[in-house]
Amino acid sequence: DADVTQTPRNRITKTGKRIMLECSQTKGHDRMYWYRQDPGLGLRLIYYSFDVKDINKGEISDGYSVSRQAQAKFSLSLESAIPNQTALYFCATSERLGTEAFFGQGTRLTVV
Amino acid sequence: GDSVTQMEGPVTLSEEAFLTINCTYTATGYPSLFWYVQYPGEGLQLLLKATKADDKGSNKGFEATYRKETTSFHLEKGSVQVSDSAVYFCALSDQGSGSARQLTFGSGTQLTVLP
């Protein structure tokens, strides 16, 4: 089993719908992240959490919200999806500052 | 703020050619530097890393040396294979005192190796 698991792997949704992307990890890491990948733009940070009581906005948090339900679970929500949120979304974890991150397989989201 | 600039792609090489992908960075603290690789349809995987100046990271024939004087971390491989075709990302994690910085990524470089 993967250390970082994202569900669903693919999703098509309509404009205005609420959608949740889920992430769970078995690494035992406190730090978890949500990134968005768009062609030519690399990965951009949406939200990050350094423990269950800590939530921080990243560089592109508008239109998104998150929930850290437990050390192992970090969910990303789009309250009212719009087409320019069509992208590949990645969840990641890391042990501490300065160490490498471990990524999930990604969720490909299409908003029509 | 922190930033990473890497060589724009796409890069197309013939098998056994020499590869260089340039990466330069700006950081306020003392960053660790990383190269990640993304194969088609997959998430990012750590390829190599270096945590201090003059460190050389290496893995699977790839190498990169942390050059503080030129703020660079260029990725090299002496002889690429078709299986190296992927997107490569340079990244940093700033360890400046009191900093809560997470990973900052470059825009990625698409590499295609032809047989």
Side-chain angles (χ1 to χ4, degrees), chain A residues 9 31 33 35 37 40-43 45 48 50 88 90 97-101 103-105, chain B residues 32 34 36 38 41-44 46 49 89 93-95 99-103 105-107:
Chain A
R9 292 293 310 278
R31 296 171 179 251
Y33 313 84
Y35 288 92
Q37 184 179 20
L41 295 178
L43 276 76
L45 184 66
Y48 59 103
F50 288 165
L88 187 55
F90 286 103
L97 190 66
T99 61
E100 65 265 33
F103 285 81
Q105 296 283 77
Chain B
S32 293
F34 307 88
Y36 283 83
Q38 183 181 28
E42 299 185 11
L44 279 72
L46 180 68
K49 66 178 181 180
F89 292 92
S93 179
D94 195 341
Q95 302 178 80
S99 171
R101 297 298 294 175
Q102 61 292 323
L103 279 170
F105 285 88
S107 57

Side-chain angles (χ1 to χ4, degrees), chain A residues 54-65:
Chain A
D54 176 78
I55 301 290
N56 303 281
K57 292 183 178 181
E59 56 185 300
I60 55 163
S61 58
D62 288 349
Y64 302 94
S65 62

Side-chain angles (χ1 to χ4, degrees), chain A residues 4-11 19-24 34 73-76 89 91 104-108:
Chain A
V4 183
T5 303
Q6 292 183 232
T7 56
R9 292 293 310 278
N10 290 282
R11 180 72 181 267
I19 183 169
M20 178 182 288
L21 310 183
E22 299 185 336
C23 176
S24 63
W34 275 104
K73 296 185 182 295
F74 192 38
S75 299
L76 176 72
Y89 290 85
C91 175
Q105 296 283 77
T107 295
R108 184 167 296 281

